[in-house]
Amino acid sequence: MEEVVQKLQEDVRELSLGTSTRVERLDGPPSPLRFLRDYVSPNKPCIISNAIQHWPALTTWTHNDHYLSQKLSQSIVSVHLTPNGQADALVPSPTTTSTTTTTSPSSLCFASAHTQLMPFPEALRLISSGSSDPFVAYAQEQNDCFRSEYSSLSSDVESHIPWATEALGCHPEAVNLWIGNHLSTTSFHKDHYENLYAVITGEKHFLLLPPTDVHRLYNRNYPAARYSLSQDTGELTLQLEEPRRHVPWCSVNPYPPAAIKDQEVSKFPLYFNGPRPFECTVKAGEILYLPSMWFHHVKQSPDNRGRTIAINYWYDMQFDIKYAYFNMWQTIRSPLSSNTLAVLEKNSDDSAIINE
């Protein structure tokens, strides 16, 4: 089975994605036919340059410090607060004792951010400060937040990506705005959407793995936890959710601290010793096409005002034979990943309530 897993990964790269780990760049928007034929159908990412140069947001959101605050002066927005910028990520469980190492799988939980409603000018100030004292702020509400919380900005961008809409045969189900700083990080995960991700200012750094590499990320179920903000102390505390539930999540941190890197490499050999992930940096004015079900890890570099701003369009994916193949494939564990997962789950006796 290990040989079958390796052969499939090699074939996908050789026959469909190419042997380079760089994501293909286009000089301008493709025709709908080319986009569908060369990228959507083969489930292949690409970066499109010169795709949004006509958007007013590229100048109004970046060249005028006061524009966003004035435009959204009366808007209340959702801001996600964490101690370190890592929301929807694996962190030491609040039940961890002094005798349990924080690298032990039984000591980890899936932590969601505390969501705080606040006036937009205050949110922008917190994000742009780039500080982790007492917390890191990140505007990442998703849930079609651009068309609800940020609707005052609708004239500054397109409501959809025309060539993608024609190719995919539908309008986006959700449009989301993201405002973060250099501390904002998104751990490995996948989405069941065709994702058109446009960067307005700053840069986004992506690690990408195709759906066939699912075994390399050692998905397992982790107890769900959530940060809460104390109104008395202004500090965040992490608590396991009640009633208890578990969330399936990727176990691999691609950038482990130096002190535990050897341990992580030993624990997750399929990732660290396997083919390198695809890597790309999406700059201001560019769009990344991130195909459905691709695993992605995201870091960012802010502009000179301390922020990275992006807007993404989630289009419904086709739940077709490719989706059926992926579902079958992810149920077939390779022996090496199964052995590691058995160790990961050995000390976890709670019954898992899966939250898909």
Side-chain angles (χ1 to χ4, degrees):
M1 180 57 69
E2 203 64 45
E3 292 178 358
V4 171
V5 171
Q6 183 176 352
K7 184 65 166 60
L8 177 62
Q9 293 170 354
E10 291 173 352
D11 286 350
V12 166
R13 281 168 170 74
E14 180 180 348
L15 301 177
S16 179
L17 303 175
T19 56
S20 172
T21 57
R22 290 185 296 180
V23 174
E24 183 179 354
R25 286 182 177 271
L26 309 182
D27 291 332
S31 68
L33 175 60
R34 184 188 178 195
F35 180 58
L36 181 63
R37 180 192 62 205
D38 295 349
Y39 302 102
V40 178
S41 293
N43 201 235
K44 180 180 178 180
C46 64
I47 295 174
I48 303 98
S49 301
N50 304 306
I52 58 173
Q53 304 303 318
H54 56 291
W55 288 8
L58 258 66
T59 54
T60 56
W61 294 10
T62 60
H63 296 170
N64 186 336
D65 274 342
H66 304 295
Y67 178 84
L68 289 173
S69 291
Q70 291 174 347
K71 196 81 170 178
L72 296 166
S73 60
Q74 304 302 312
S75 297
I76 303 298
V77 300
S78 304
V79 180
H80 291 225
L81 307 179
T82 60
N84 52 17
Q86 299 181 25
D88 295 341
L90 302 181
V91 303
S93 171
T95 60
T96 299
T97 67
S98 58
T99 59
T100 306
T101 64
T102 56
T103 58
S104 167
S106 61
S107 71
L108 298 177
C109 65
F110 174 82
S112 298
H114 171 76
T115 303
Q116 184 75 29
L117 293 173
M118 63 179 70
F120 176 80
E122 180 184 350
L124 189 62
R125 179 187 61 79
L126 282 174
I127 295 168
S128 302
S129 71
S131 172
S132 59
D133 183 19
F135 43 67
V136 177
Y138 189 15
Q140 56 153 30
E141 176 63 11
Q142 303 174 64
N143 297 325
D144 203 26
C145 66
F146 183 74
R147 294 190 289 204
S148 54
E149 296 185 352
Y150 301 95
S151 59
S152 298
L153 301 174
S154 60
S155 61
D156 294 339
V157 302
E158 289 181 303
S159 61
H160 65 112
I161 307 298
W163 42 270
T165 296
E166 183 174 345
L168 297 169
C170 61
H171 280 75
E173 181 176 293
V175 183
N176 306 305
L177 186 69
W178 309 76
I179 308 178
N181 58 42
H182 70 287
L183 297 171
S184 307
T185 303
T186 304
S187 61
F188 263 125
H189 69 288
K190 71 179 189 303
D191 299 308
H192 293 103
Y193 290 102
E194 307 293 353
N195 192 351
L196 278 295
Y197 200 103
V199 175
I200 308 298
T201 186
E203 296 179 349
K204 294 274 189 170
H205 311 290
F206 287 81
L207 294 179
L208 306 176
L209 286 174
T212 45
D213 281 21
V214 58
H215 303 100
R216 299 179 59 200
L217 293 172
Y218 298 87
N219 282 17
R220 67 153 292 203
N221 300 314
Y222 291 92
R226 184 173 295 275
Y227 290 105
S228 59
L229 181 66
S230 170
Q231 300 301 318
D232 296 328
T233 65
E235 296 180 348
L236 292 170
T237 57
L238 183 64
Q239 296 178 319
L240 293 176
E241 291 188 8
E242 295 290 351
R244 295 291 178 90
R245 68 183 182 96
H246 285 67
V247 176
W249 206 252
C250 302
S251 300
V252 173
N253 173 10
Y255 303 107
I260 62 169
K261 183 173 182 179
D262 290 345
Q263 182 179 349
E264 293 294 286
V265 171
S266 175
K267 191 189 302 180
F268 304 120
L270 291 180
Y271 178 82
F272 289 103
N273 299 332
R276 290 176 55 193
F278 292 83
E279 297 184 59
C280 65
T281 292
V282 187
K283 301 179 180 180
E286 296 181 330
I287 292 178
L288 169 67
Y289 166 57
L290 179 58
S292 56
M293 299 187 297
W294 271 65
F295 295 93
H296 49 289
H297 180 283
V298 193
K299 300 173 72 175
Q300 45 202 317
S301 298
D303 59 17
N304 57 11
R305 293 176 175 81
R307 55 191 181 240
T308 303
I309 305 178
I311 185 169
N312 84 296
Y313 300 79
W314 271 340
Y315 288 82
D316 273 338
M317 66 171 285
Q318 292 294 317
F319 290 88
D320 53 13
I321 193 168
K322 287 187 296 185
Y323 177 73
Y325 283 151
F326 171 76
N327 274 350
M328 180 192 71
W329 180 244
Q330 70 176 346
T331 64
I332 303 174
R333 290 181 176 176
S334 69
L336 186 53
S337 66
S338 295
N339 291 340
T340 299
L341 285 166
V343 173
L344 288 175
E345 294 169 352
K346 183 173 70 172
N347 296 323
S348 180
D349 296 323
D350 294 334
S351 59
I353 303 175
I354 305 301
N355 177 27
E356 291 290 331

